[in-house]
Amino acid sequence: MTTVARTAAASLPNTPGVYRFRDERGRVLYIGRATELRHRVGSYWTSLRGRRHLSRMVAQIVQVEAVACDSVHEAAWLERNLLERSKPRWNRVRGGLEVPIYLRVDRRGVPRLVVDHGPFGADCGPDVFGPYLGGTKARLAVAGLGRVLPLGYTDERLTGAARDMARIRGVDAADRDTLLAATVAVLQRRPDAVDAVQRQLVEQRDRASAGLAFELAERIQQEIEAIDWLVAEQKATVPTDPDSDVYGWAGGLLVRFEVRGGRLATWTQRACRQADARRYLERTPQHWRAFADRSAELSSRLHAAHHVAA
């Protein structure tokens, strides 16, 4: 039966997402996330490399299920939320490895962007952004924003080297409000603001590389990727999202997600006639429908692939 699961995995899209494996009794063996679902899931049957301890698990897999996500960050949050609810046997830790992080505008004195562990609720106010996963990524993103939008150099009390650096950067106290507004716009995911910052970082990276400053170029590249991570679309954890039930239907399968406390927290699927599914589909909030429909279509495709392979 593991051959059936391997064949079904070939029908996965090469997009970010979350996958889970079930055994012949329907028990969940493992939940994981992927940057490219088809490649990652297929690797369990081709090259485990540093995951050889999972070889006994692979022999038990009879069914593959998956959810395609809009970003790797969204996949990371969904994986974390699912593992906080229930840890399958072959997962090593409950929850995820990354730490939930917020970014906060500290307006005491000269405004600055700080990393904060929170937690903050849905009423955290306009100066708090997140949550995001990964303290390292958050700090790299803050560094990248500061490289392009140097709020710290708008202090009237700068002396010595800091004053010289402000002059080199071409900023002073008069630029403070403009730089702060641009920083906030990036965290609000405004495309024009994000594009402007990323474009300037790419230019600085390329100049560093052309000048053979490869370590600096690598650091800036990490900052670019960290900002991409923060501003990527993700719906799996949004503190302001109200509790709701999210349903999708395709090919005789009803897929259900629960949003509780601002988190996409559960994922189930079952056989269901289309006529019976209608009353559930009506409950799905409009902003979740594309995600729910896509999830149901993928579940139906995987279900069909399992039966054909069998």
Side-chain angles (χ1 to χ4, degrees):
M1 291 298 289
T2 188
T3 303
V4 174
R6 178 181 181 178
T7 302
S11 64
L12 287 167
N14 251 341
T15 60
V18 170
Y19 58 92
R20 66 185 175 195
F21 300 138
R22 292 187 184 272
D23 66 11
E24 61 183 2
R25 296 172 59 182
R27 296 174 299 188
V28 177
L29 296 168
Y30 186 82
I31 294 173
R33 74 168 189 253
T35 300
E36 297 179 341
L37 276 168
R38 187 190 311 148
H39 176 77
R40 177 65 170 179
V41 174
S43 72
Y44 285 86
W45 288 275
T46 57
S47 178
L48 285 173
R49 293 188 178 177
R51 302 169 290 157
R52 295 192 182 280
H53 64 286
L54 296 176
S55 58
R56 288 191 295 124
M57 179 200 73
V58 173
Q60 301 174 49
I61 299 171
V62 300
Q63 186 173 0
V64 176
E65 298 171 344
V67 175
C69 295
D70 287 308
S71 68
V72 181
H73 197 177
E74 182 174 87
W77 266 119
L78 179 55
E79 177 198 42
R80 181 185 183 87
N81 294 347
L82 294 172
L83 289 176
E84 283 184 346
R85 284 293 186 96
S86 177
K87 188 181 81 66
R89 175 186 174 188
W90 291 93
N91 285 96
R92 289 181 169 178
V93 296
R94 183 178 295 275
L97 297 176
E98 298 98 340
V99 176
I101 289 292
Y102 295 81
L103 296 184
R104 177 172 55 84
V105 177
D106 186 344
R107 294 181 183 269
R108 294 173 296 179
V110 177
R112 61 195 182 101
L113 195 59
V114 298
V115 175
D116 200 318
H117 289 268
F120 296 94
D123 57 349
C124 58
D127 285 342
V128 175
F129 301 89
Y132 310 105
L133 279 180
T136 299
K137 286 187 174 67
R139 290 176 178 85
L140 282 167
V142 169
L145 288 170
R147 192 182 296 277
V148 174
L149 304 168
L151 269 171
Y153 291 111
T154 62
D155 193 337
E156 297 94 337
R157 299 165 297 178
L158 294 178
T159 61
R163 181 184 297 172
D164 292 338
M165 186 59 70
R167 185 169 56 252
I168 293 170
R169 295 284 190 96
V171 299
D172 58 28
D175 298 303
R176 184 180 303 156
D177 291 344
T178 300
L179 294 176
L180 177 59
T183 300
V184 169
V186 171
L187 297 176
Q188 291 174 336
R189 298 188 175 96
R190 279 180 39 186
D192 56 338
V194 174
D195 289 346
V197 166
Q198 296 287 49
R199 184 171 59 253
Q200 291 183 63
L201 284 172
V202 167
E203 290 172 357
Q204 292 190 34
R205 179 202 64 193
D206 292 348
R207 282 200 302 270
S209 182
L212 305 184
F214 298 121
E215 290 186 5
L216 176 59
E218 174 59 26
R219 167 74 182 200
I220 296 174
Q221 177 60 32
Q222 292 173 358
E223 293 169 0
I224 292 170
E225 293 171 1
I227 292 174
D228 282 342
W229 176 269
L230 262 61
V231 302
E233 179 180 352
Q234 80 85 9
K235 303 173 295 302
T237 298
V238 180
T240 56
D241 210 5
D243 290 356
S244 60
D245 295 320
V246 175
Y247 292 93
W249 183 92
L253 279 181
L254 183 69
V255 178
R256 180 193 184 204
F257 301 93
E258 289 183 358
V259 179
R260 298 292 183 269
R263 291 192 175 196
L264 190 61
T266 65
W267 160 34
T268 60
Q269 58 188 57
R270 65 179 176 85
C272 181
R273 297 184 307 167
Q274 186 172 17
D276 295 331
R278 290 195 185 100
R279 62 190 179 98
Y280 296 108
L281 299 178
E282 292 172 354
R283 303 178 191 175
T284 300
Q286 183 64 39
H287 68 284
W288 278 105
R289 288 186 178 176
F291 176 89
D293 291 344
R294 183 179 68 213
S295 299
E297 289 167 4
L298 177 55
S299 295
S300 176
R301 188 161 71 245
L302 285 170
H303 183 76
H306 278 100
H307 283 276
V308 170

Short mmCIF file of all heavy atoms in Angstrom, two decimals, residues 6-7 16 75 91 97 100 141 144-145 159 205 207 212 253 272 287 290 299:
data_model
loop_
_atom_site.label_atom_id
_atom_site.label_comp_id
_atom_site.label_asym_id
_atom_site.label_seq_id
_atom_site.Cartn_x
_atom_site.Cartn_y
_atom_site.Cartn_z
N ARG A 6 2.82 6.50 -2.63
CA ARG A 6 3.91 7.13 -3.40
C ARG A 6 3.41 7.59 -4.75
O ARG A 6 3.74 8.69 -5.21
CB ARG A 6 5.05 6.13 -3.57
CG ARG A 6 6.20 6.65 -4.39
CD ARG A 6 7.29 5.61 -4.53
NE ARG A 6 8.42 6.12 -5.30
CZ ARG A 6 9.52 5.43 -5.56
NH1 ARG A 6 9.65 4.18 -5.08
NH2 ARG A 6 10.51 5.96 -6.25
N THR A 7 2.59 6.79 -5.41
CA THR A 7 2.04 7.17 -6.70
C THR A 7 1.12 8.36 -6.58
O THR A 7 1.14 9.29 -7.39
CB THR A 7 1.28 5.98 -7.31
OG1 THR A 7 2.17 4.87 -7.44
CG2 THR A 7 0.72 6.34 -8.68
N PRO A 16 3.99 25.70 -1.94
CA PRO A 16 4.09 25.52 -0.48
C PRO A 16 2.83 24.86 0.07
O PRO A 16 1.74 24.98 -0.51
CB PRO A 16 4.21 26.97 0.04
CG PRO A 16 4.68 27.77 -1.11
CD PRO A 16 4.06 27.13 -2.33
N ALA A 75 2.28 28.04 5.40
CA ALA A 75 2.45 26.61 5.65
C ALA A 75 3.08 26.37 7.02
O ALA A 75 2.68 25.44 7.74
CB ALA A 75 3.30 25.98 4.55
N ASN A 91 6.12 12.72 14.66
CA ASN A 91 6.60 14.09 14.84
C ASN A 91 7.37 14.19 16.15
O ASN A 91 6.96 13.63 17.16
CB ASN A 91 5.44 15.08 14.86
CG ASN A 91 4.88 15.33 13.48
OD1 ASN A 91 3.91 14.72 13.07
ND2 ASN A 91 5.51 16.26 12.75
N LEU A 97 9.14 24.58 15.51
CA LEU A 97 10.46 24.94 16.00
C LEU A 97 10.64 26.46 16.09
O LEU A 97 11.39 26.94 16.93
CB LEU A 97 11.53 24.34 15.07
CG LEU A 97 11.57 22.81 15.01
CD1 LEU A 97 12.60 22.37 13.99
CD2 LEU A 97 11.88 22.21 16.38
N PRO A 100 6.97 32.28 17.88
CA PRO A 100 6.11 33.38 17.44
C PRO A 100 6.67 34.72 17.90
O PRO A 100 7.08 34.88 19.05
CB PRO A 100 4.77 33.09 18.12
CG PRO A 100 4.81 31.62 18.42
CD PRO A 100 6.23 31.31 18.72
N ALA A 141 14.77 40.88 9.16
CA ALA A 141 13.88 41.81 8.48
C ALA A 141 14.01 43.21 9.04
O ALA A 141 14.03 44.19 8.29
CB ALA A 141 12.43 41.32 8.60
N GLY A 144 17.13 44.68 7.66
CA GLY A 144 16.96 45.07 6.27
C GLY A 144 16.18 46.36 6.13
O GLY A 144 16.53 47.24 5.33
N LEU A 145 15.11 46.50 6.92
CA LEU A 145 14.34 47.73 6.88
C LEU A 145 15.19 48.91 7.34
O LEU A 145 15.14 50.00 6.76
CB LEU A 145 13.09 47.59 7.75
CG LEU A 145 11.99 46.69 7.19
CD1 LEU A 145 10.92 46.44 8.24
CD2 LEU A 145 11.38 47.31 5.95
N THR A 159 25.92 62.05 17.81
CA THR A 159 27.28 62.61 17.93
C THR A 159 28.27 61.69 17.24
O THR A 159 28.00 60.52 16.98
CB THR A 159 27.68 62.75 19.42
OG1 THR A 159 27.66 61.46 20.04
CG2 THR A 159 26.74 63.69 20.15
N ARG A 205 22.77 44.78 -2.48
CA ARG A 205 23.37 43.44 -2.55
C ARG A 205 24.25 43.31 -3.77
O ARG A 205 25.37 42.79 -3.70
CB ARG A 205 22.25 42.38 -2.59
CG ARG A 205 22.74 40.95 -2.69
CD ARG A 205 21.66 40.06 -3.25
NE ARG A 205 21.31 40.43 -4.62
CZ ARG A 205 20.23 39.98 -5.24
NH1 ARG A 205 19.39 39.17 -4.64
NH2 ARG A 205 19.99 40.34 -6.50
N ARG A 207 25.69 45.67 -5.52
CA ARG A 207 26.90 46.50 -5.41
C ARG A 207 27.93 45.83 -4.52
O ARG A 207 29.14 45.84 -4.82
CB ARG A 207 26.54 47.88 -4.84
CG ARG A 207 25.91 48.83 -5.84
CD ARG A 207 26.03 50.27 -5.37
NE ARG A 207 25.40 50.49 -4.08
CZ ARG A 207 24.14 50.83 -3.91
NH1 ARG A 207 23.34 50.97 -4.97
NH2 ARG A 207 23.65 51.05 -2.70
N LEU A 212 33.13 42.60 -4.48
CA LEU A 212 33.73 41.41 -3.86
C LEU A 212 33.48 41.35 -2.35
O LEU A 212 34.18 40.60 -1.64
CB LEU A 212 35.23 41.34 -4.14
CG LEU A 212 35.64 41.39 -5.63
CD1 LEU A 212 37.15 41.22 -5.77
CD2 LEU A 212 34.90 40.33 -6.43
N LEU A 253 -15.91 14.80 -1.62
CA LEU A 253 -15.21 15.01 -0.34
C LEU A 253 -15.52 16.39 0.22
O LEU A 253 -15.46 17.40 -0.49
CB LEU A 253 -13.70 14.88 -0.52
CG LEU A 253 -13.09 13.48 -0.56
CD1 LEU A 253 -11.58 13.59 -0.71
CD2 LEU A 253 -13.42 12.69 0.69
N CYS A 272 -18.97 13.07 1.35
CA CYS A 272 -20.21 13.84 1.51
C CYS A 272 -20.81 14.09 0.13
O CYS A 272 -20.11 14.45 -0.81
CB CYS A 272 -19.91 15.16 2.21
SG CYS A 272 -21.37 16.20 2.50
N HIS A 287 -13.84 35.47 2.44
CA HIS A 287 -12.38 35.57 2.25
C HIS A 287 -11.67 34.24 2.40
O HIS A 287 -10.47 34.15 2.11
CB HIS A 287 -11.78 36.61 3.22
CG HIS A 287 -11.82 36.21 4.66
ND1 HIS A 287 -12.97 36.26 5.42
CD2 HIS A 287 -10.84 35.76 5.48
CE1 HIS A 287 -12.70 35.86 6.65
NE2 HIS A 287 -11.42 35.55 6.72
N ALA A 290 -11.79 30.80 -1.59
CA ALA A 290 -10.79 30.34 -2.58
C ALA A 290 -9.88 29.30 -1.96
O ALA A 290 -9.58 28.27 -2.59
CB ALA A 290 -9.99 31.53 -3.10
N SER A 299 -7.73 17.65 -2.25
CA SER A 299 -8.09 16.45 -1.51
C SER A 299 -8.79 15.43 -2.40
O SER A 299 -8.52 14.23 -2.33
CB SER A 299 -8.99 16.82 -0.32
OG SER A 299 -8.31 17.61 0.62
#
